C-alpha cells in the first residue's frame, strides 16, 4: 500500500486548525471547543479552547454506552506475582466511579492534586482515571524513585492526598513503598492530609492512624452505600495531569498536560500512527510512572476502545526471555510498544530468538520502539526474529506523543535504520544552528519544533511559566527546543543522535547527571565531582562519577566511592543505576573552569576526540584515561 503520509502531512500544513478540528470530532464534548486554537492563551497558545469535556468519560463511559461494556478494557498480567486479572469496560467503569466517590468524600475536587505512587497494578490505573473523572489533577511518581525525589514532587504539586500501595515487586525482592512514602512526607514541607494505601499481601504496611486509610476498606464501605461519582465537566484546557521529568538540575520539571488537546492527539495516533482499531489489543510494556505509560498504557488505548495490557514484569527473568512472546500469544496482542533496552536484554539472553518459536505470534502486527535511540543492531535482530515491522519513533515526556515516526496506520514509508523516519502532522521540525538559522541537509544541529506545538504537548511547567519559557522557548525564538541534537537527510528523514543538555537515558529512563552531581557533591569528603553518561551495551547509557576529594582526607577512597554510590541510591533511587564512582586527583577543565564532561565520555567510550582548544591542562586527560583503564570501565572493560 502506498503511504498516505505525504498527503496527510500536507493537509495538516495547509490548514492546521481544520486538521485538528476534524480530529476533534472523534471525541465526545460536553461543549464543543469555541476555537480549535487560541494563539494568545497560555504561554504558547492553547488547543480546543473553550471546549468542555471529561477524559474519563471518553475513556470509559462512552464505550459502555455504545455497547463495548463486555469487552476487556484492562488486562493485568503479573509474572512477578503469578496473577492475571481482566476488567471489562463495564467493570473498570464501576471500579473507577466507586473510587472517584471515595476521593470525592475525602474532598478531592476539580483542580486539586493527588500524587499516585504505585507499582504496576490495576489500582494505579483506577486511581488515575478516578482523578480524571473528578477533574482532579494526578501526578504519578515512578516506584523506582527514592523518598527525597517523592518529597520534591509532593512539595511542588501540593497534593491534597497521596494514593499508594504497600509494596512493589522487583525480581528477587519486595520493595516496601510505605517507608519511602513516610520518609517523603517527613521530608516534605507540604503535608498531604490523607493517604490511601492499597495493601498487597507480600508486604502489608502499618497504617498511620488519622492519616492513612486502607483502600479495600474504603471501597467496600462505598460499595455497600451504593456510592458512585459522575463525570465532572472540565475545561478542555484544565490540566489532566502533572508528570515530573528530569531537567538540568535536581529540581524536576512538572510537565502539565491538558484534557482536550491530549485526547484529540492521542486518539488520532491510535489509528493513523499505530494502525490499530477499536477492539484490538495494544500493549505498551513500560510503567505508568513514565509518559509512555500515561499515554499508551492508560489514555490512548482506552480512548480508542482497545484492550490495554498492564504488565508487571521484566523482559527477562520473569521467568525468562520468552515472556513477551507468551503475553503476545496469550492476550492476542496486535501492536506492542517498548524501549529498545528491553530488546537488548532479550537478545542477550536468547541471541538466536529460540524462545520466539514456542509461541504463535500470527496475530502480531508491529513492534514500536521509543525512549532512546533504537540502535540498528537491535532493530534488525527484532525484525528478523519477529517477522513484523519494527518501528522506531521519537518523542519526549513534554510532547506526550510521537514527534517523528513511521506511521503504520497511514501506510509505512521505506525504513532507514537509525532514523525514526519523518515528522508527524502537527510537528514542523527544523534543525538550527546557534544563531537560530536552519543548517544544511545532513548537518547536525539543534532539533527544534516551529511553534505552535500540536495538541497534546505540554501546556507549561506546573506553576512555573518562567521556567517553561526559559527551558524551551527562549533560546530559539519562535521554536520549541527539544534539547536533542540531530540532522535531516535529503528525504526529510530525521536522525536523533544525542541530548544537548546533561540528560542521559539509562534503560529507557530519563535521568539528569546534574541531579546526581548534586547528590555526590553533598558527600562531606567530596570537593568536586563530575557525573556523565557512558555507553552501555544493555542500558544504552549508564552514569559514572569522578570524585576529587577534599585536601587532607586520609580515608580509603574506595570507601568514599561506595558511600557516594549508596547516597545516590538513597536520594534519587535504584533507577539511577549509579554504580561506578572513581576518585581522581583533578578534573579536566577549560580555562574558564568548565568541566570537560563530553571529552571524558568520549575517552570512556573509546571514541576519537579532539583536544579541546580551551583545555587548561591536557595532561589531566591522560590521568583520566589511566583511571578508567585501571578500573576497567567503559571501553576499557575486560
Ligand atoms: N520500583 C523499585 N525499583 C525499581 C523499579 C520500581 N518500579 N524499577 C526498577 N527498579 C530498580 C531495579 O530493581 C534495579 O535495581 P538494582 O540496582 O537493585 O538491580 C534498578 O532500579 C535499575 O532498574 P532498571 O534500569 O530497570 O534495570 P534492571 O536491571 O532492573 O532491568 C531492563 C533492565 C533492560 C530489563 C529493564 O530496564 C527494562 O525492561 N526496561 C524497560 C524500559 C522501560 O520500560 N522504559 C520506559 C520507557 S518506554
Ligand atoms: P523521555 O522524556 O523520557 O521520553 O525522554 C526523551 C528523550 O529520549 C528524547 O529527548 C531523546 O533524547 C530520547 N529519545 C526518545 N525516543 C528516542 C528515539 N526514538 N530516538 C532517539 N532518541 C530518543
Amino acid at each position: 500500500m502506498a503511504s498516505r503520509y505525504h498527503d496527510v502531512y500536507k493537509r495538516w500544513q495547509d490548514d492546521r486548525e481544520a486538521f485538528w478540528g476534524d480530529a476533534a470530532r472523534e471525541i465526545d464534548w460536553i461543549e464543543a471547543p469555541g476555537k480549535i486554537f487560541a494563539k494568545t492563551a497560555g504561554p504558547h497558545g492553547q488547543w480546543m479552547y473553550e471546549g468542555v469535556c471529561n477524559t474519563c468519560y471518553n475513556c470509559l463511559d462512552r464505550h459502555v454506552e455504545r455497547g463495548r461494556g463486555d469487552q476487556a478494557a484492562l488486562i493485568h498480567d503479573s509474572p512477578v506475582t503469578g496473577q492475571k486479572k481482566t476488567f471489562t469496560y463495564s467493570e473498570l467503569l464501576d471500579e473507577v466511579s466507586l473510587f472517584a466517590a471515595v476521593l470525592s468524600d475525602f474532598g478531592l475536587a476539580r483542580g486539586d492534586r493527588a500524587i499516585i505512587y504505585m507499582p504496576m497494578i490495576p489500582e494505579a490505573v483506577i486511581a488515575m482515571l478516578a482523578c480524571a473523572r473528578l477533574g482532579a489533577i494526578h501526578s504519578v511518581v515512578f516506584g523506582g524513585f527514592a523518598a527525597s525525589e517523592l518529597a520534591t514532587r509532593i512539595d511542588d504539586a501540593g497534593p491534597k492526598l497521596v494514593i499508594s500501595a504497600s509494596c512493589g515487586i522487583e525480581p528477587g525482592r519486595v520493595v516496601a513503598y510505605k517507608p519511602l512514602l513516610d520518609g517523603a512526607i517527613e521530608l516534605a514541607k507540604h503535608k498531604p492530609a490523607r493517604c490511601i494505601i492499597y495493601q498487597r499481601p507480600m508486604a502489608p504496611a502499618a497504617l498511620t492512624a488519622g492519616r492513612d486509610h486502607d483502600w479495600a476498606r474504603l471501597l467496600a464501605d462505598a460499595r455497600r452505600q451504593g456510592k458512585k461519582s459522575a463525570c465532572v465537566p472540565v475545561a478542555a484546557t484544565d490540566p489532566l495531569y502533572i508528570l515530573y521529568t528530569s531537567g538540568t538540575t535536581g529540581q524536576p520539571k512538572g510537565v502539565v498536560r491538558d484534557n482536550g488537546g491530549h485526547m484529540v492527539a492521542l486518539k488520532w495516533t491510535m489509528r493513523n500512527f499505530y494502525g490499530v482499531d477499536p477492539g484490538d489489543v495494544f500493549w505498551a510494556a513500560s510503567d505508568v510512572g513514565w509518559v509512555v505509560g500515561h499515554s499508551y498504557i492508560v489514555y490512548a488505548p482506552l480512548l480508542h476502545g482497545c484492550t490495554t495490557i498492564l504488565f508487571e514484569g521484566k523482559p527477562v527473568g520473569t521467568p525468562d526471555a520468552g515472556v513477551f512472546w507468551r503475553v503476545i500469544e496469550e492476550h492476542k496482542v496486535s501492536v506492542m510498544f517498548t524501549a529498545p533496552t528491553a530488546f537488548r536484554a532479550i537478545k542477550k539472553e536468547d541471541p538466536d530468538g529460540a524462545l520466539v518459536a514456542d509461541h504463535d505470534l500470527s496475530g502480531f502486527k508491529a513492534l514500536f520502539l521509543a525512549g532512546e535511540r533504537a540502535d540498528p543492531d537491535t532493530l534488525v535482530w527484532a525484525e528478523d526474529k519477529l517477522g513484523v515491522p519494527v518501528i522506531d519513533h521519537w518523542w519526549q515526556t513534554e510532547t506526550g506523543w510521537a514527534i517523528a515516526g513511521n506511521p503504520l496506520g497511514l501506510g509505512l514509508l521505506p525504513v532507514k535504520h537509525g532514523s525514526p523516519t519523518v515528522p508527524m502532522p502537527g510537528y514542523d521540525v527544523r534543525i538550527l544552528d546557534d544563531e537560530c538559522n536552519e543548517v544544511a541537509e545532513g548537518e547536525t544541529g539543534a532539533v527544534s519544533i516551529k511553534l505552535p506545538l500540536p495538541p497534546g504537548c505540554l501546556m507549561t511547567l506546573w506553576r512555573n511559566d518562567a521556567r517553561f519559557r526559559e527551558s524551551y522557548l527562549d533560546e530559539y525564538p519562535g521554536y520549541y527546543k527539544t534539547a536533542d541534537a540531530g540532522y535531516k537527510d535529503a528525504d526529510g528523514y530525521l536522525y536523533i543522535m544525542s541530548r544537548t543538555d546533561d540528560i542521559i537515558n539509562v534503560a529507557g529512563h530519563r535521568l539528569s547527571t546534574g541531579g546526581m552531581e548534586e547528590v555526590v557533591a553533598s558527600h562531606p569528603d567530596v570537593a568536586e565531582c563530575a557525573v556523565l553518561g557512558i555507553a552501555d551495551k544493555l542500558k544504552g547509557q549508564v552514569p559514572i562519577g569522578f570524585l576529587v576529594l577534599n585536601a587532607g582526607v586520609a580515608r580509603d577512597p574506595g570507601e568514599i566511592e561506595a558511600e557516594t554510590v549508596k547516597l545516590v541510591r538513597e536520594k534519587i533511587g535504584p533507577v539511577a543505576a549509579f554504580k561506578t564512582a572513581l576518585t581522581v586527583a583533578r578534573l579536566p577543565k577549560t580555562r574558564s573552569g568548565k568541566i570537560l564532561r563530553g571529552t571524558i565520555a568520549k575517552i570512556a567510550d573509546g571514541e576519537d576526540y579532539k583536544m579541546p582548544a580551551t583545555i587548561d591542562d591536557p595532561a589531566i586527560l591522560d590521568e583520566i584515561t589511566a583511571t578508567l583503564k585501571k578500573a576497567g570501565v567503559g571501553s576499557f572493560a575486560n
Side-chain angles (χ1 to χ4, degrees), residues 142-144 170 173 286 314-315 341 507 509 539 569 574-575 579:
F142 177 61
E170 281 296 289
R173 80 191 150 101
S286 177
K314 302 263 173 180
T341 188
H509 310 314
K539 299 196 175 193
R569 195 175 171 94
V575 69
K579 309 235 160 149

Side-chain angles (χ1 to χ4, degrees), residues 567-588:
L567 205 57
V568 172
R569 195 175 171 94
E570 274 166 19
K571 297 273 181 198
I572 297 179
V575 69
F578 180 75
K579 309 235 160 149
T580 311
L582 302 170
T583 305
V584 290
R586 15 184 224 162
L587 290 167

Side-chain angles (χ1 to χ4, degrees), residues 119 142-145 168 170-171 173 175 177 285-287 290 292 313-316 324 337-339 341-342 345 370-371 506-509 538-539 569 573-577 579:
F142 177 61
F145 281 124
E170 281 296 289
R173 80 191 150 101
V175 183
Y177 276 38
S286 177
D287 189 288
W290 306 117
V292 174
K314 302 263 173 180
V316 293
F324 276 14
F337 177 170
T338 193
T341 188
V506 181
H509 310 314
L538 176 64
K539 299 196 175 193
R569 195 175 171 94
V575 69
K579 309 235 160 149

Side-chain angles (χ1 to χ4, degrees), residues 60 64 68-71 73 87-97 228:
L60 299 178
V64 175
R68 208 174 275 287
D70 293 336
Q71 182 199 308
F87 293 79
T88 64
Y89 269 95
S90 296
E91 288 164 346
L92 193 57
L93 174 58
D94 278 352
E95 295 291 324
V96 168
S97 19
K228 265 182 195 310

Side-chain angles (χ1 to χ4, degrees), residues 134-184:
L134 297 176
I137 304 165
H138 62 68
S139 186
V140 183
V141 179
F142 177 61
F145 281 124
S148 55
E149 289 287 322
L150 179 56
T152 309
R153 287 155 175 79
I154 290 176
D155 275 338
D156 197 69
K160 218 174 217 176
L161 42 90
V162 178
I163 304 160
S164 187
S166 58
C167 67
I169 321 282
E170 281 296 289
R173 80 191 150 101
V174 171
V175 183
Y177 276 38
K178 193 50 185 3
L180 297 170
L181 175 60
D182 290 342

